[in-house]
């Protein structure tokens, strides 16, 4: 088994809040991240795929194809958007980094499996100090 990772970047705005809560409770729970006027991050996304090396190509997955899949289904959809308002795959979900990573994994899984590889993990950096990793 071998693992290969592709890194992509995107910029997006979001806020953490629950509509059924008061502004005070949202502020108490989410702090500055509940700012009514949103805030943004320069995200770094690492998509790790695993599988056996194809003896004909020497690849687990063609990295050009992995790049195309990630960009088509994730980064082109989310880059320079408001995660809460503009991203269909996040509608009705909390826009936390944890939920975003799980959702990105689910969005990519089938497309990568169609390439005879297996999606191993999604690692998403929100800041240089804060990131989440999801293994499905």
């Amino acid at each position: 088994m071998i693992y290969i990772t592709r890194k992509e970047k995107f910029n997006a705005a979001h806020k953490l809040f629950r509509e059924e809560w008061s502004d005070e409770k949202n502020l108490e729970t989410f702090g500055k991240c509940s700012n009514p006027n949103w805030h943004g991050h320069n995200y770094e996304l690492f998509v790790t795929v695993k599988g056996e090396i194809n003896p004909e190509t020497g690849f687990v997955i063609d990295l050009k194809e992995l790049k195309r899949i990630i960009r088509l289904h994730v980064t082109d959809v989310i880059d320079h958007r408001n995660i809460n308002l503009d991203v269909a795959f996040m509608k009705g979900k909390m826009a936390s980094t944890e939920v975003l990573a799980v959702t990105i994994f689910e969005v990519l899984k089938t497309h990568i499996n169609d390439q005879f590889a297996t999606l191993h993990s999604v690692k998403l950096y929100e800041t240089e100090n804060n990131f989440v990793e999801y293994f499905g």
Side-chain angles (χ1 to χ4, degrees):
M1 185 70 58
I2 192 161
Y3 300 78
I4 191 161
T5 301
R6 171 77 188 178
K7 177 183 173 182
E8 291 286 337
K9 296 180 180 184
F10 62 90
N11 305 310
H14 73 144
K15 70 177 172 179
L16 302 178
F17 74 106
R18 298 198 65 87
E19 289 184 23
E20 67 272 18
W21 290 359
S22 67
D23 289 342
E24 293 77 21
K25 183 167 182 176
N26 274 298
L27 182 59
E28 179 184 320
T29 303
F30 301 117
K32 294 187 295 184
C33 295
S34 71
N35 179 349
N37 294 315
W38 317 94
H39 68 283
H41 297 285
N42 300 316
Y43 291 91
E44 291 185 330
L45 173 64
F46 297 81
V47 176
T48 301
V49 173
K50 66 182 178 181
E52 299 297 327
I53 297 172
N54 179 322
E56 292 179 7
T57 64
F59 301 156
V60 171
I61 188 171
D62 183 337
L63 286 174
K64 290 186 303 293
E65 184 60 15
L66 182 58
K67 175 176 84 171
R68 185 193 70 77
I69 290 167
I70 296 167
R71 288 186 177 176
L72 178 65
H73 298 288
V74 177
T75 55
D76 289 352
V77 174
I78 202 168
D79 190 37
H80 285 82
R81 302 288 196 298
N82 182 310
I83 295 169
N84 301 75
L85 301 176
D86 302 329
V87 180
F89 63 71
M90 288 298 292
K91 290 288 185 200
K93 297 180 180 181
M94 178 61 72
S96 68
T97 305
E98 294 89 336
V99 173
L100 183 56
V102 169
T103 305
I104 289 170
F105 187 99
E106 294 304 321
V107 165
L108 293 175
K109 185 177 178 178
T110 301
H111 301 290
I112 290 170
N113 290 349
D114 288 347
Q115 298 298 310
F116 307 105
T118 302
L119 180 55
H120 175 70
S121 67
V122 165
K123 184 186 290 185
L124 184 61
Y125 277 79
E126 184 179 71
T127 70
E128 71 179 55
N129 297 320
N130 299 324
F131 67 92
V132 63
E133 193 165 9
Y134 181 67
F135 295 91

